Amino acid sequence: MATGATNEPIIAIDNLVAHYGKRKILDDVSLTVNRGEVMVIMGGSGSGKSTLLRHLLGLNKPTAGAIRILGHDLTKINRKEMYKLRREMGVAFQGGALFGSMTVGENVQLPLREHTKLDDNTIRIMARIKLEIMNLAGFEDLMPSELSGGMLKRAALARAVIMDPKLLFFDEPSAGLDPVVSAELDELILRLRNALNITMVVVTHELESAFKIADRITMLDQGKVIFTGSVPEIRASTNERVQNMIHRRPRTEDVDTEAYLHRLTGQRPQA
């Protein structure tokens, strides 16, 4: 755990329930993230991890439960307060989400131009500092299309931290990268956390990356939290579903024949 990590929660989720239409996606999820730590959210496809991230960003409203971030209840916050809160949060999206019509430097500068009244020279210097940290010095005049996948991820990370946020969210940081570049990005995440003492929430399905960067891991399965703990604790867990995910074992399910036929035909099974 980082030197600056404490037991003070920067995120507190209590009994969160979320639906898409009639389908329940998150079911009674409770979770805390301590200041200064890296919390990794893991789970298989459809487990609810991306939906949880959207709720933490204030993009979705829950059906029930509460989410507190930096002392603000997202279920009660108004639009103006949410806008102000997002200035203290950074997001590095899965595909980078850089604007293709802007240079790398212009992409990184954008939050400062949108949210501050700093002069142009100061903004350019601050962007160069962040690009330097990401090992992208001298690339500010290139277009996103001229960068490799790993460079795009680092440029997006530079933009995410340009406002020196207290909280940083990552969506699948290692997705689409080769093992060497992925390992380099993991090291960068750890250096950045230690240097800036940023609390991080990382959504990923990459086990090797998760085990390397996480202070704690929360594992979701079918919308429920089935485990939260340190890397040694998750390795030692006796939960079958946790071990299946760690060792990439397929799930086996008992099939209810009558329920299966009902799904196919739309007819209720006979009593």
Side-chain angles (χ1 to χ4, degrees):
M1 186 175 293
T3 302
T6 72
N7 290 325
E8 178 188 357
I10 198 168
I11 297 175
I13 305 170
D14 295 309
N15 309 115
L16 181 65
V17 178
H19 288 80
Y20 287 149
K22 294 182 179 180
R23 184 184 174 198
K24 184 182 288 186
I25 307 299
L26 298 175
D27 186 3
D28 198 29
V29 170
S30 293
L31 172 68
T32 60
V33 180
N34 297 323
R35 190 175 301 273
E37 77 171 340
V38 177
M39 170 64 79
V40 171
I41 309 295
M42 297 191 68
S45 178
S47 62
K49 57 186 187 295
S50 294
T51 299
L52 178 58
L53 179 60
R54 289 184 60 84
H55 280 77
L56 289 173
L57 294 173
L59 300 176
N60 289 16
K61 289 291 186 182
T63 306
I67 306 171
R68 294 188 64 82
I69 295 181
L70 294 169
H72 299 273
D73 188 339
L74 298 195
T75 62
K76 300 177 181 178
I77 198 170
N78 61 41
R79 183 175 297 182
K80 184 177 180 179
E81 291 169 333
M82 189 70 233
Y83 180 81
K84 185 177 180 180
L85 177 60
R86 284 185 179 137
R87 295 178 61 176
E88 300 189 72
M89 299 157 55
V91 186
F93 297 98
Q94 181 174 338
L98 299 182
F99 292 98
S101 60
M102 302 169 66
T103 66
V104 171
E106 289 169 340
N107 269 282
V108 176
Q109 296 167 21
L110 186 60
L112 292 176
R113 297 194 181 279
E114 288 288 321
H115 299 293
T116 75
K117 296 182 180 179
L118 296 171
D119 62 86
D120 286 349
N121 192 47
T122 300
I123 289 175
R124 284 194 293 270
I125 291 172
M126 291 179 68
R128 286 171 186 159
I129 290 172
K130 290 303 192 289
L131 286 169
E132 181 84 35
I133 293 173
M134 306 301 165
N135 299 319
L136 288 174
F139 290 88
E140 62 261 30
D141 293 328
L142 294 184
M143 304 301 290
S145 60
E146 299 176 288
L147 301 183
S148 67
M151 294 168 73
L152 276 172
K153 298 271 189 179
R154 284 184 278 138
L157 184 52
R159 184 179 62 184
V161 301
I162 191 65
M163 296 278 289
D164 293 324
K166 296 178 180 177
L167 182 58
L168 187 59
F169 295 96
F170 288 92
D171 185 15
E172 299 284 2
S174 300
L177 301 180
D178 66 61
V180 173
V181 175
S182 178
E184 291 173 349
L185 186 60
D186 290 340
E187 289 290 345
L188 179 59
I189 289 171
L190 291 174
R191 290 201 307 270
L192 186 66
R193 187 277 305 272
N194 292 336
L196 302 180
N197 196 30
I198 300 176
T199 305
M200 298 185 180
V201 176
V202 182
V203 172
T204 184
H205 67 277
E206 299 286 348
L207 280 170
E208 187 174 353
S209 176
F211 287 170
K212 184 175 183 178
I213 66 175
D215 290 313
R216 289 190 299 147
I217 294 174
T218 290
M219 191 170 286
L220 297 177
D221 186 53
Q222 298 180 1
K224 293 179 176 288
V225 173
I226 60 171
F227 176 87
T228 297
S230 66
V231 172
E233 288 170 339
I234 196 172
R235 290 185 186 276
S237 172
T238 58
N239 186 302
E240 183 179 1
R241 289 184 290 174
V242 170
Q243 290 302 316
N244 285 346
M245 190 166 296
I246 290 176
H247 297 290
R248 302 183 66 184
R249 293 194 291 254
R251 289 183 302 188
T252 57
E253 296 181 359
D254 295 328
V255 177
D256 184 326
T257 306
E258 290 190 353
Y260 176 67
L261 291 174
H262 169 51
R263 289 200 302 270
L264 294 179
T265 64
Q267 298 177 355
R268 293 189 179 278
Q270 297 293 323

